[in-house]
Amino acid sequence: MAEVSARMLAIQSQIAQTATRYGAGVGPTGFAGALQAAQKKAESAPGSAGTAGTSITERVENALAPGGPTGADVVADARKYLGIPYVFGGTDPRLGLDCSGLVQKVFEDVGIDLPRLVRDQRNAGTAVPSMKQAKPGDLLVFDGYEHIGIYVGNGRMLHAPEPGENVKIGPVYETPTSIRRVVPPEALQTSALSSADGLLRTAALRSSPHHAAGGAGSSISAVPAGVPFANVFTNAGSKHGVSPALLAAVAKIESGYDPGAVSPAGARGLMQIMPGTARELGVDPLDPYQAVDGAARLLRRHLNEFGSLPLALAAYNAGGGAVRRYDGIPPYAETQAYVVKVQNALRALGKDAR
């Protein structure tokens, strides 16, 4: 249910925007109460999923049930071996890896057994017709050199090249002899989130004849007392239809609530906004009030475009262009970790607010 809680926040923010149009609310119980009421109503309705023995909650959990590793998982794991020296015949990262040893180790990490040698790995999974169809996590095989690597996207691959070099990411230097897909790409994973979205949206809409989940100025998700800048998050969230707790969670992960933080990449302030983005938003990122207001507008924009909290967070970290390019959470270890960290922080804030 961890993902369900996060999804509810995103959907709640979207429904909140329609409240003023219909002029209705669900009262002090908020979205959680509305969802519970919707579940009871749906389960008691003739022919509903509830009468068949499957509740809305169970259906959402089923939709979000893990279906095994994805290509993005493979790439994220492979990145942790960057810099390991090439050693012929190497299978132990502590000593060094060769190309097929690297591939075998990465897939072992995500729970998939592959053969040890390139000549056997080249037959794993299913064939991909060409580089145009290649997705992150696919295996790229180069028969002329008995070499294999892992595609990371954008014409680049992660591999252990040759003696004297380290595991690195570099261009796909020639057309592979074959491309093999052992796990599904990230885009398939997001379809489960879309299914859960549909279930939760239906539940929320059924809970009110006016299709509303609270007024535009309602508290979408309370920020616990004692959280720095709580009133700033609450005001900006209410103003822009974004969960104040979500803004607080982003600030916690981005800066640890430090309004003067500056990252090595140049991101600034409480919400770690890059200078170019700050100019676009018209804010001073070192001013907490302006930074939170700008971040709320940016998250609102991403939630509207992608309709998904994980994707909106990925866009906040890596940019909307990266999310569109990969049709899902980009295969960047930093971005994937960021999405998980913010959602964990969001859940922790929710528990503290009880």
Side-chain angles (χ1 to χ4, degrees):
M1 289 296 291
E3 281 284 345
V4 176
S5 299
R7 309 298 297 122
M8 285 169 59
L9 282 169
I11 298 166
Q12 180 190 15
S13 295
Q14 294 169 340
I15 294 175
Q17 288 191 315
T18 69
T20 53
R21 181 172 47 182
Y22 291 100
V26 297
T29 56
F31 183 73
L35 182 58
Q36 291 173 358
Q39 179 174 332
K40 291 178 180 179
K41 181 181 289 187
E43 290 171 1
S44 63
S48 70
T51 61
T54 305
S55 69
I56 290 174
T57 300
E58 290 170 328
R59 291 164 65 198
V60 171
E61 286 179 319
N62 290 337
L64 291 173
T70 67
D73 296 326
V74 171
V75 173
D77 185 84
R79 286 177 180 272
K80 72 185 183 184
Y81 296 111
L82 290 171
I84 298 292
Y86 177 98
V87 171
F88 180 76
T91 59
D92 186 342
R94 294 170 297 180
L95 304 175
L97 298 167
D98 65 10
C99 64
S100 56
L102 168 67
V103 166
Q104 184 185 47
K105 180 59 179 171
V106 168
F107 279 84
E108 176 186 313
D109 289 347
V110 299
I112 297 174
D113 291 328
L114 285 185
R116 168 66 184 91
L117 302 175
V118 176
R119 64 171 177 261
D120 299 315
Q121 292 175 352
R122 69 163 61 98
N123 297 316
T126 58
V128 176
S130 72
M131 283 301 299
K132 290 183 178 180
Q133 287 80 43
K135 298 288 186 181
D138 288 348
L139 297 179
L140 306 183
V141 183
F142 303 87
D143 278 349
Y145 303 98
E146 283 289 318
H147 188 57
I148 193 166
I150 298 171
Y151 189 56
V152 300
N154 291 330
R156 299 174 70 78
M157 66 178 180
L158 188 151
H159 63 141
E162 59 185 352
E165 293 200 46
N166 298 330
V167 176
K168 67 178 183 180
I169 293 176
V172 179
Y173 50 82
E174 64 178 53
T175 302
T177 306
S178 63
I179 306 167
R180 309 296 297 188
R181 181 161 299 155
V182 182
V183 296
E186 175 70 24
L188 296 183
Q189 191 179 47
T190 62
S191 64
L193 297 177
S194 297
S195 297
D197 269 349
L199 292 169
L200 289 171
R201 288 176 189 274
T202 299
L205 292 175
R206 285 179 178 173
S207 71
S208 168
H210 301 289
H211 299 249
S218 66
S219 178
I220 299 172
S221 180
V223 178
V227 171
F229 305 101
N231 64 320
V232 181
F233 299 131
T234 298
N235 292 337
S238 298
K239 179 180 178 182
H240 298 292
V242 175
S243 163
L246 174 59
L247 294 172
V250 169
K252 178 178 176 61
I253 300 305
E254 288 286 359
S255 69
Y257 301 124
D258 180 2
V262 178
S263 78
R268 295 173 173 269
L270 185 65
M271 309 305 286
Q272 289 292 277
I273 300 174
M274 293 294 289
T277 304
R279 287 192 294 272
E280 176 196 343
L281 294 169
V283 300
D284 176 358
L286 295 176
D287 181 318
Y289 293 89
Q290 293 187 41
V292 175
D293 186 86
R297 282 184 279 138
L298 191 59
L299 283 166
R300 177 73 269 155
R301 183 193 307 169
H302 293 324
L303 285 166
N304 286 344
E305 178 177 358
F306 300 112
S308 158
L309 179 58
L311 294 183
L313 291 173
Y316 190 92
N317 177 262
V323 175
R324 287 187 291 272
R325 183 163 60 252
Y326 288 101
D327 193 24
I329 299 175
Y332 310 147
E334 176 191 337
T335 300
Q336 293 175 353
Y338 176 83
V339 171
V340 173
K341 288 177 183 177
V342 174
Q343 290 183 101
N344 286 341
L346 185 57
R347 286 190 287 274
L349 287 169
K351 291 177 182 178
D352 291 342
R354 293 173 185 171

